[in-house]
Amino acid sequence: MDKVETAFMNSPVRRAMQRRLALPLMRRFGGPLPEGGRVLEIGCGSGYGSQLLLEEWGAGHVDAVDLDPAMVRRARRRLAPHRGRVRVGIADVTDLSALVPADGEYDAVVDFGILHHVPDWQAAVREVARVLRPGGTFYFEELTKQGLDRPHLRHNRSHPTENRFTGSQLVEEIDAQGLTVLGHRDPFFGDMIYGGSRRDG
Ligand SMILES: C[S@@+](CC[C@H](N)C(=O)[O-])C[C@H]1O[C@@H](n2cnc3c(N)ncnc32)[C@H](O)[C@@H]1O
């Protein structure tokens, strides 16, 4: 991420957005987590999302991964009070085989705005589907191609410019990977998409 985006992701505004907008919409469409469930957060950034999953969503255990070592260090500091219930590591969401060799390990996978950073986002969705157990839930918050094309984001070089997705393309890909999208909402004139989906099985 560039400096501006990193500052935003570590800011109280982003935390408020995760808590007050993303989580309620994810829960509306994906339903609640199973109490004590095992959850993977992809691209965990500062770790605030995982903190909410542990403290407010009843997750029993969270694995949180990010590609950026600086973010992983930050998330580890934030999540230190939950030692024993959380594991934070460096991993690329398009290949989680080192961290999660077996399929169907998680009751839920949560994406707080990361797929729009991943050049091969389809591979990431495939990996999400692989690690979810049948009946498990994939909750997602994403920035669409339309959002990325806005003047204030267009020049952010940490966003890939090729192979971006509209909200419908993201939903179609999730469906194609064997999950059923239960519902979604596309606020901010379609610049964002929030939803929940269930792994078929
Ligand atoms: C926009 S930030 C979101 C951070 C956090 N989820 C939040 O909502 O505050 C995107 C995050 O995805 C991470 N990321 C980008 N590509 C990744 C990949 N291929 N695998 C894992 N994490 C990735 C970045 O390092 C960054 O922390």
Side-chain angles (χ1 to χ4, degrees):
M1 290 189 292
D2 70 4
K3 281 187 183 160
V4 175
E5 191 175 12
T6 301
F8 176 67
M9 286 303 147
N10 292 323
S11 72
V13 177
R14 174 60 186 155
R15 291 196 288 279
M17 197 176 164
Q18 280 179 281
R19 183 158 198 237
R20 298 186 189 285
L21 179 67
L23 277 180
L25 285 174
M26 287 172 171
R27 188 197 281 261
R28 180 186 306 172
F29 297 116
L33 277 183
E35 194 61 36
R38 196 172 167 74
V39 182
L40 172 69
E41 188 194 353
I42 52 173
C44 62
S46 73
Y48 183 65
S50 290
Q51 182 184 338
L52 292 174
L53 296 168
L54 287 159
E55 293 178 358
E56 300 188 13
W57 263 36
H61 178 94
V62 174
D63 283 338
V65 299
D66 201 287
L67 201 51
D68 180 347
M71 283 305 207
V72 166
R73 281 195 295 276
R74 190 181 280 267
R76 281 195 179 128
R77 280 198 299 275
R78 178 185 294 285
L79 296 167
H82 296 285
R83 194 168 293 125
R85 292 175 62 209
V86 66
R87 200 163 54 136
V88 188
I90 299 175
D92 183 336
V93 64
T94 61
D95 179 7
L96 297 168
S97 56
L99 178 81
V100 196
D103 297 353
E105 278 285 299
Y106 295 100
D107 297 303
V109 178
V110 183
D111 157 24
F112 288 108
I114 145 177
L115 296 182
H116 68 276
H117 275 272
V118 181
D120 189 355
W121 61 274
Q122 292 96 334
V125 176
R126 196 159 54 240
E127 201 55 349
V128 166
R130 180 183 75 75
V131 301
L132 263 180
R133 68 163 170 79
T137 308
F138 175 42
Y139 300 93
F140 53 91
E141 172 203 42
E142 271 309 328
L143 190 55
T144 63
K145 177 175 183 339
Q146 181 181 300
L148 291 169
D149 283 342
R150 298 282 180 202
H152 64 291
L153 288 175
R154 201 179 299 153
H155 303 294
N156 179 331
R157 287 205 230 119
S158 63
H159 294 145
T161 50
E162 303 293 321
N163 189 29
R164 297 304 79 204
F165 49 82
T166 62
S168 327
Q169 286 168 332
L170 177 61
V171 165
E172 278 165 24
E173 186 64 29
I174 292 171
D175 268 326
Q177 294 301 335
L179 288 91
T180 300
V181 175
L182 305 167
H184 62 91
R185 187 156 159 206
D186 307 31
F188 308 117
F189 309 102
D191 288 8
M192 304 284 298
I193 178 167
Y194 294 83
S197 55
R198 180 115 333 127
R199 176 90 163 85
D200 303 338

